């Protein structure tokens, strides 16, 4: 039943990326209504301190706050990101790597050709269907260009960033302080509830009591308010996604800084390579069911060519899954406290943004009551599962045989109905866009993304069974595609120059 709430004080628990993003967005939205926002963070419990790649959603978030690239990027050692190269996920000859770009307004000119050729190739016709050939952003990443066109190039571009997450947190804290956040540094000892089960106040270890009308739980995997206090159950995704651990190690940056993330599959997981202006961030995301922490660290160091180096490695545990409901009583969880899908497509910060934005909309539309709580929770759960299925697809379609980890991932029967339908659609040579629309999941990953992944992994009839091409008119016009991409690329500049010139 709808429950009226008189909202004067909102309390955010947690000062990681999620907490500071929330603080800025809620202040921006509701400060003029006289709502106060307080953020409590523990000086003794650190932030997760990883999470250095974004999707275009981070740009949208910073645009809402009217924060320009020239203001934040250099403070956070940030670089531009065209997308992600996936290396060694497939062992099909010719498909050892592929690029997953962000959506780009120029895709209309080339994406249809990828669709055309990948359909022919699925039918067993010998045509080029590797996605990189059809993507402007793949070409920009290969040339180490920034995804920022010259001013007279009249197309809109979406792109992501790489950044130092600790510095981004500090930057967002500074911005929140400028616009009126109350910041308290202390640890929550216990939480007081009202007789109706709502959260009343936080008791801190310095004896302060922080009362609020509404609470936002950004306390990371600890989920102090939503899971621990309000006892919202956690639904693990471990049957679908096996990885539960990560190791992070920095290495020296190349002088010619790449404009993409690289995700390379290793024996029991994959490694991210994220370029910042001052270092590479590297991290091995793996499953502790298949190897020990020591084995994983050794493999990561060997992969990075730093077996002998004494640079310290950080070991992290990941709790992969989602809460049953993100909003219960007078508390919404945002960030790791609400759930986490492993960082293969760098979606967590995007999820933080979308959770705050959707919560704020639902709260406002319900006139600061819980009128739209159930719809919001349903939407969050669907969003988690929509993203999860696309991540699972990477594992399900791998063709590696070098370890039980990869074989088990490929043979895993615990996949959702939606994912199973999408795979059937691909193998039955049906249209991906129609199936995504039928399943109502086109909002998570576009047909282009699905096509890039499925074609990029080389999920086609074997090369030796291919027949020769049909009439040329049936195939993609590769000369057109190449000329178009080359012509467009001339409107972009090197990443290094863009970074040195103080951003766009
Ligand atoms: C290995 C790994 C790689 C990742 N890579 C990416 C990526 O590339 N892209 C991406 O978008 N995301 C990534 N993420 C996710 C991303 O790091 C997080 O979503 C993001 O940092 C938000 O974290 P958070 O703020 O929810 O939690 P945290 O950073 O853990 O912050 C928790 C806060 O709660 C406070 N706190 C906890 N308990 C108490 C208490 N009792 N009292 C007071 N304060 C308390 C802590 O002090 C801290 O301030 C990755 C995550 C992992 C694990």
């Amino acid at each position: 039943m709808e429950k009226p709430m008189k909202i004067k004080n909102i309390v955010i628990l947690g000062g990681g990326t999620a907490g500071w993003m929330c603080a800025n967005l809620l202040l921006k939205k509701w400060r003029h209504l006289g709502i106060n926002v307080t953020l409590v963070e523990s000086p003794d419990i650190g932030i997760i301190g990883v999470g250095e790649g974004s999707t275009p959603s981070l740009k949208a978030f910073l645009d809402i706050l009217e924060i320009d690239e020239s203001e934040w990027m250099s403070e956070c050692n940030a670089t531009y990101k065209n997308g992600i190269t996936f290396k060694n996920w497939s062992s099909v000859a010719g498909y050892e790597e592929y690029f997953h770009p962000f959506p780009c307004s120029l895709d209309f000119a080339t994406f249809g050709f990828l669709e055309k050729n990948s359909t022919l190739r699925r039918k067993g016709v010998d045509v080029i269907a590797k996605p990189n050939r059809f993507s402007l952003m793949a070409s920009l990443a290969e040339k180490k260009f920034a995804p920022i066109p010259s001013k007279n190039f009249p197309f809109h571009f979406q792109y992501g960033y790489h950044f130092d997450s600790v510095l981004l947190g500090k930057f967002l804290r500074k911005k929140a302080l400028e616009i009126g956040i109350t910041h308290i540094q202390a640890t929550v000892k216990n939480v007081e509830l009202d007789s109706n089960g709502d959260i009343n106040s936080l008791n801190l270890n310095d004896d302060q009591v922080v009362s609020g009308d509404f609470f936002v739980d950004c306390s990371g995997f600890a989920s102090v308010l939503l899971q621990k206090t309000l006892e919202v159950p956690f639904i693990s995704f471990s049957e679908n996604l096996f990885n539960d651990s990560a190791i992070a190690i920095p290495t020296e940056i190349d002088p010619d800084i790449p404009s993409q993330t690289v995700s390379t599959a290793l024996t029991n997981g994959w490694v991210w390579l994220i370029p910042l202006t001052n270092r590479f961030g590297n991290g091995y995301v793996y499953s502790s069911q298949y190897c020990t922490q020591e084995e994983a660290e050794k493999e990561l160091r060997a992969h990075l060519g730093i077996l002998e180096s004494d640079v310290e490695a950080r070991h992290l545990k990941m709790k992969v899954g989602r809460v049953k409901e993100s909003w219960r009583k007078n508390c919404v969880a945002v960030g790791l406290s609400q759930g986490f899908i492993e960082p293969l497509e760098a979606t967590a910060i995007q999820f933080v943004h979308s959770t705050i934005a959707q919560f704020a909309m639902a709260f406002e539309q319900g006139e600061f009551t819980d009128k739209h709580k159930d719809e919001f929770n349903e939407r969050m759960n669907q969003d988690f599962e929509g993203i999860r299925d696309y991540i699972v697809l990477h594992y399900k379609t791998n063709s590696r045989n070098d370890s039980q980890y990869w074989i088990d991932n490929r043979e895993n029967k615990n996949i959702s109905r939606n994912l199973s339908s999408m795979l059937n659609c691909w193998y039955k040579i049906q249209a991906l866009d129609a199936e995504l629309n039928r399943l109502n999941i086109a909002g998570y990953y576009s047909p282009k993304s699905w096509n890039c992944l499925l074609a990029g992994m080389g999920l086609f009839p074997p090369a030796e069974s291919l027949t020769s091409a049909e009439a040329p008119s049936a195939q993609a016009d590769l000369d057109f595609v190449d000329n178009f991409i080359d012509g467009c690329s001339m409107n972009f500049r090197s990443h290094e120059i863009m970074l040195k010139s103080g951003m766009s």
Side-chain angles (χ1 to χ4, degrees):
M1 203 178 76
E2 188 180 327
K3 188 163 77 69
M5 292 183 189
K6 237 177 82 205
I7 301 298
K8 181 92 182 108
N9 294 307
I10 294 181
V11 179
I12 299 170
L13 175 63
T17 313
W20 290 114
M21 284 177 73
C22 260
N24 278 285
L25 210 57
L26 296 187
L27 276 168
K28 171 96 186 166
K29 279 189 155 303
W30 295 334
R31 171 173 55 147
H32 70 282
L33 301 177
I35 292 178
N36 307 310
V37 182
T38 301
L39 186 145
V40 178
E41 69 170 320
S42 167
D44 305 319
I45 304 169
I47 63 166
I48 190 99
V50 280
E52 305 198 318
S54 87
T55 67
S57 154
L58 183 59
K59 173 154 175 50
F61 172 79
L62 292 163
D63 285 349
I64 293 170
L65 300 182
E66 298 171 74
I67 296 173
D68 198 68
E69 288 178 351
S70 58
E71 190 184 352
W72 78 273
M73 283 185 74
S74 58
E75 264 192 56
C76 302
N77 297 335
T79 67
Y80 292 103
K81 172 176 171 187
N82 283 293
I84 307 177
T85 284
F86 289 86
K87 269 192 190 164
N88 300 342
W89 287 71
S90 167
S91 52
V92 177
Y95 291 88
E96 293 83 1
E97 65 175 71
Y98 74 93
F99 185 78
H100 181 200
F102 293 124
C104 149
S105 57
L106 288 166
D107 290 338
F108 74 89
T110 55
F111 176 60
F113 288 123
L114 168 63
E115 233 174 23
K116 198 174 201 179
N117 272 17
S118 70
T119 305
L120 285 172
R121 185 88 186 206
R122 281 191 276 164
K123 288 180 181 164
V125 181
D126 191 4
V127 289
I128 290 176
K130 207 169 156 183
N132 296 34
R133 182 80 178 256
F134 301 84
S135 161
L136 171 61
M137 294 192 102
S139 162
L140 298 180
E142 199 192 330
K143 295 185 169 88
K144 296 191 179 173
F145 279 8
I148 314 286
S150 58
K151 295 263 185 284
N152 54 1
F153 191 62
F155 295 95
H156 175 66
F157 267 75
Q158 295 209 78
Y159 52 86
Y161 304 105
H162 307 110
F163 49 87
D164 181 318
S165 66
V166 174
L167 296 179
L168 182 65
K170 283 188 181 157
F171 177 84
L172 291 174
R173 177 173 64 194
K174 181 178 80 179
K175 297 307 285 184
L177 286 168
E178 278 169 20
I179 55 174
I181 191 93
T182 305
H183 183 203
I184 298 176
Q185 298 198 52
T187 303
V188 172
K189 264 193 327 194
N190 53 55
V191 181
E192 295 286 339
L193 298 183
D194 281 343
S195 52
N196 65 6
D198 274 350
I199 298 176
N200 179 299
S201 54
L202 311 181
N203 294 335
L204 307 184
N205 65 346
D206 61 1
D207 295 333
Q208 282 191 81
V209 176
V210 181
S211 308
D213 307 305
F214 200 90
F215 290 79
V216 186
D217 186 351
C218 296
S219 62
F221 284 131
S223 197
V224 174
L225 304 182
L226 197 82
Q227 292 182 50
K228 291 216 174 99
T229 306
L230 298 179
E231 298 179 349
V232 173
F234 183 79
I235 297 166
S236 167
F237 290 163
S238 62
E239 289 197 334
N240 316 87
L241 291 168
F242 300 163
N243 296 338
D244 59 1
S245 308
I247 312 174
I249 304 186
T251 51
E252 244 175 64
I253 189 70
D254 287 347
D256 193 5
I257 301 175
S259 52
Q260 61 172 322
T261 301
V262 178
S263 153
T264 306
L266 296 188
T267 313
N268 295 300
W270 60 275
V271 171
W272 75 72
L273 175 77
I274 290 188
L276 308 187
T277 53
N278 62 331
R279 65 167 162 85
F280 274 119
N282 307 277
Y284 189 5
V285 177
Y286 66 96
S287 167
S288 65
Q289 287 173 61
Y290 291 84
C291 67
T292 64
Q293 181 168 302
E294 293 71 30
E295 286 164 343
E297 183 173 334
K298 193 166 170 208
E299 191 184 7
L300 174 60
R301 285 185 183 276
H303 169 73
L304 298 174
I306 55 163
L307 261 178
E308 303 306 323
S309 152
D310 57 4
V311 57
E312 206 181 318
R314 269 192 73 207
H315 289 264
L316 299 146
K317 279 287 168 202
M318 307 185 309
K319 197 169 148 195
V320 175
R322 65 163 172 84
V323 288
K324 187 161 172 261
E325 47 201 65
S326 292
W327 179 357
R328 180 178 280 187
K329 297 284 180 183
N330 62 339
C331 175
V332 67
V334 182
L336 299 175
S337 61
Q338 159 198 31
F340 178 57
I341 294 171
E342 64 150 272
L344 189 57
E345 292 278 356
T347 42
I349 288 166
Q350 169 178 327
F351 210 94
V352 167
H353 178 195
S354 110
T355 303
I356 317 165
Q358 291 189 58
F359 163 73
M361 196 165 70
F363 209 29
E364 249 175 44
Q365 282 178 355
E367 293 170 357
F368 297 95
T369 69
D370 59 3
K371 185 174 176 188
H372 297 300
K373 177 165 65 67
D374 294 346
E375 288 148 62
F376 167 84
N377 283 332
E378 182 59 28
R379 180 71 199 274
M380 286 295 105
N381 295 347
Q382 284 171 4
D383 287 359
F384 262 116
E385 280 160 29
I387 294 172
R388 177 201 62 196
D389 285 349
Y390 187 77
I391 301 298
V392 173
L393 183 66
H394 296 73
Y395 293 95
K396 188 71 192 157
T397 55
N398 91 80
S399 45
R400 292 176 65 119
N401 288 312
D402 58 318
S403 70
Q404 200 55 43
Y405 169 88
W406 290 107
I407 295 166
D408 288 353
N409 265 298
R410 183 167 61 247
E411 290 178 354
N412 187 13
K413 300 274 183 290
N414 292 314
I415 62 168
S416 72
R417 273 202 202 160
N418 283 350
L419 181 50
S420 183
S421 301
M422 288 306 296
L423 282 165
N424 275 336
C425 166
W426 177 259
Y427 288 119
K428 287 188 179 160
I429 321 172
Q430 292 164 349
L432 294 171
D433 52 353
E435 189 61 359
L436 286 167
N437 287 333
R438 188 184 75 78
L439 298 168
N440 198 19
I441 54 169
Y444 305 112
Y445 283 93
S446 67
K448 185 183 69 170
S449 289
W450 285 83
N451 207 332
C452 279
L453 198 164
L454 293 159
M457 296 289 256
L459 292 192
F460 295 120
E464 57 279 10
S465 71
L466 297 181
T467 58
S468 56
E470 292 172 19
S473 61
Q475 300 176 39
D477 181 347
L478 287 175
D479 285 342
F480 170 83
V481 170
D482 291 346
N483 289 334
F484 182 83
I485 289 177
D486 284 350
C488 289
S489 303
M490 289 160 75
N491 292 284
F492 294 81
R493 284 187 291 161
S494 105
H495 193 209
E496 198 193 348
I497 293 175
M498 281 306 291
L499 292 173
K500 283 194 179 138
S501 70
M503 323 308 166
S504 62

